[in-house]
Amino acid sequence: MKVMGIDLGTTNTVAAVGSFALPISAEDSRTTVPSVVSFLPNGSTQVGLAAKRRRCLDAPNTIFSAKRIIGRRWSDAETQQFKDDYPFDLVENQDGMPVFETRAGQFDPGEIASTLLSSIFGQARHFPSGIDATVVTVPSGFGDRQRQATRAAAEAAGLPQVTLIDEPMATAYAYLRVTNPVRRAGVYDLGSGTFDFSIVDWASGAPKILGFQSDMALGGDDIDRRIARWAAECVLEKHNWDLRNYAGIWGALIAECERAKIRLSFFEETAIDLSLVDPDGPAGSEKLPLQREMLDSISDEVVRNTFVTCDRVLAEANLRPSDLDAIFLAGGSTYLNKVREGVEIYFDKPGRFEIDPAEVVALGASEAPPDA
């Protein structure tokens, strides 16, 4: 049986079969696909990287981060916070659920997920041996309504024999293949939209979760917005030009700050290119330098907040950081130097990333036993 594992992420989605992450982008061989769906004026729909490029051009009709509110009711605090933070026309339907009002009609978060999954499966089904079953990952903090909505989205997309598995369990199964057995490990999963910390125990032979907590509103997106606020303040002070006045320009600034953040994982200094944010900006404002030291300062509170969650999980399990034999890293935001340094200081051991943190959850899902 060929099982496809899918890490349906808040910001990016990855699919894998066995030890192979599928190159499912239509444009190149990248394995991560932006979790973005855009409804075009001509009536067509774009998914992934092409849709992400429309975030600043057509913000109300380009939906991203929908996973944050999948299965949520309109009255939930998470939904109302999402409504305040994102540039969508989010309204309440007759069932008391949030839906996105777009030029193509109303879509709930599950329908956005289904459109994304359908596109991915449409490409993955050409895998030489075919796909017999699908394992879709969910955060451990997902409740019943969120899990049901995720399963329904996968089934509506046509995925065969859908099973759900918790993300830290998927990470554990991926590492079982490449590491010597460990008695107890922490899974530190910092994505773009959420943070999860879990303790996985192998004492009985099969991995089981001893404890977990999720922060569904903490991730790399928060760092991007903090960088954007810092950049906007710098530009306002120097040029009397406020980048926050227009939603499209503000969205373009966040996107450019995300790119600068990624570059600083490899270089000590980069620049935020403001000509890509607003070509009509004042002369002399095209480049705003950003050093890794400044990024570390800007991201410090977000990183420290992850360890507040770790504190709670360890306390509930009656364990100390030193009681964990290994720390497995997952999620694209763990590429950040500040995050890896913080993990090593807190746990007194470096985080493990022999497996690409952006792919590890999908890889593990594809390798999990059927009854996991």
Side-chain angles (χ1 to χ4, degrees):
M1 177 178 286
K2 292 293 183 182
V3 177
M4 179 170 66
I6 299 181
D7 176 12
L8 177 61
T10 304
T11 303
N12 292 295
T13 295
V14 181
V17 176
S19 59
F20 179 61
L22 300 180
I24 49 180
S25 169
E27 298 185 29
D28 54 34
S29 60
R30 72 179 65 199
T31 58
T32 58
V33 177
S35 303
V36 186
V37 175
S38 185
F39 301 98
L40 276 60
N42 64 7
S44 63
T45 303
Q46 287 184 335
V47 174
L49 187 59
K52 183 177 179 179
R53 292 181 179 136
R54 296 186 57 81
R55 278 178 50 173
C56 305
L57 299 173
D58 193 11
N61 298 290
T62 303
I63 311 303
F64 58 94
S65 293
K67 178 181 173 180
R68 285 181 182 259
I69 56 170
I70 192 169
R72 297 283 185 187
R73 299 193 63 80
W74 174 260
S75 57
D76 289 350
E78 293 84 357
T79 302
Q80 295 306 308
Q81 186 64 54
F82 183 91
K83 184 176 183 295
D84 292 340
D85 288 344
Y86 289 86
F88 312 126
D89 189 4
L90 194 69
V91 299
E92 181 182 10
N93 70 7
Q94 60 184 8
D95 299 319
M97 305 297 288
V99 293
F100 300 98
E101 187 77 69
T102 75
R103 62 165 58 94
Q106 292 185 347
F107 298 89
D108 65 42
E111 290 173 309
I112 299 298
S114 183
T115 300
L116 173 67
L117 290 170
S118 179
S119 175
I120 290 172
F121 183 54
Q123 298 175 64
R125 72 173 66 199
H126 301 299
F127 188 76
S129 301
I131 304 297
D132 302 309
T134 318
V135 178
V136 180
T137 66
V138 293
S140 295
F142 262 19
D144 288 342
R145 279 190 290 129
Q146 293 161 294
R147 292 171 185 267
Q148 291 167 6
T150 302
R151 180 188 293 277
E155 292 173 344
L159 273 59
Q161 297 187 36
V162 177
T163 302
L164 303 184
I165 186 175
D166 284 9
E167 291 168 0
M169 287 295 288
T171 301
Y173 281 117
Y175 270 97
L176 278 174
R177 182 175 54 83
V178 300
T179 190
N180 292 327
V182 296
R183 183 172 58 95
R184 191 178 292 136
V187 178
Y188 180 102
D189 188 343
L190 183 62
S192 293
T194 60
F195 172 68
D196 298 277
F197 180 69
S198 307
I199 299 172
V200 183
D201 187 271
W202 276 272
S204 62
K208 66 177 182 179
I209 296 177
L210 293 184
F212 72 89
Q213 282 203 15
S214 300
D215 189 329
M216 303 303 293
L218 180 68
D221 289 352
D222 302 281
I223 295 174
D224 300 340
R225 285 193 289 269
R226 286 168 183 256
I227 301 169
R229 286 195 291 269
W230 168 82
E233 290 292 340
C234 291
V235 172
L236 180 62
E237 181 179 351
K238 187 173 182 180
H239 299 284
N240 196 30
W241 169 39
D242 197 339
L243 294 165
R244 294 164 290 192
N245 283 341
Y246 301 98
I249 292 175
W250 175 242
L253 177 61
I254 293 174
E256 173 58 16
C257 289
E258 178 191 14
R259 289 189 287 268
K261 177 190 72 176
I262 292 171
R263 289 194 295 272
L264 287 176
S265 294
F266 306 95
F267 306 104
E268 291 291 334
E269 182 172 356
T270 188
I272 298 170
D273 190 345
L274 298 174
S275 68
L276 299 177
V277 175
D278 185 358
D280 298 323
S285 62
E286 292 84 2
K287 300 286 187 179
L288 179 63
L290 178 63
Q291 296 81 26
R292 183 182 290 174
E293 183 179 5
M294 176 56 70
L295 173 62
D296 289 349
S297 176
I298 292 170
S299 59
D300 181 67
E301 184 178 6
V302 172
V303 176
R304 283 191 289 110
N305 284 342
T306 68
F307 297 117
V308 174
T309 299
C310 295
D311 284 341
R312 290 197 293 264
V313 176
L314 287 163
E316 289 177 4
N318 197 27
L319 297 170
R320 297 166 298 177
S322 59
D323 291 329
L324 304 181
D325 302 315
I327 307 299
F328 300 141
L329 300 183
S333 294
T334 59
Y335 288 116
L336 289 176
N337 297 82
K338 180 70 174 179
V339 171
R340 293 188 178 184
E341 290 172 1
V343 166
E344 184 165 1
I345 291 170
Y346 181 87
F347 292 102
D348 196 28
K349 58 179 68 68
R352 301 275 296 274
F353 50 92
E354 299 96 312
I355 305 175
D356 188 332
E359 298 178 355
V360 64
V361 175
L363 291 168
S366 72
E367 297 169 346
D371 57 351

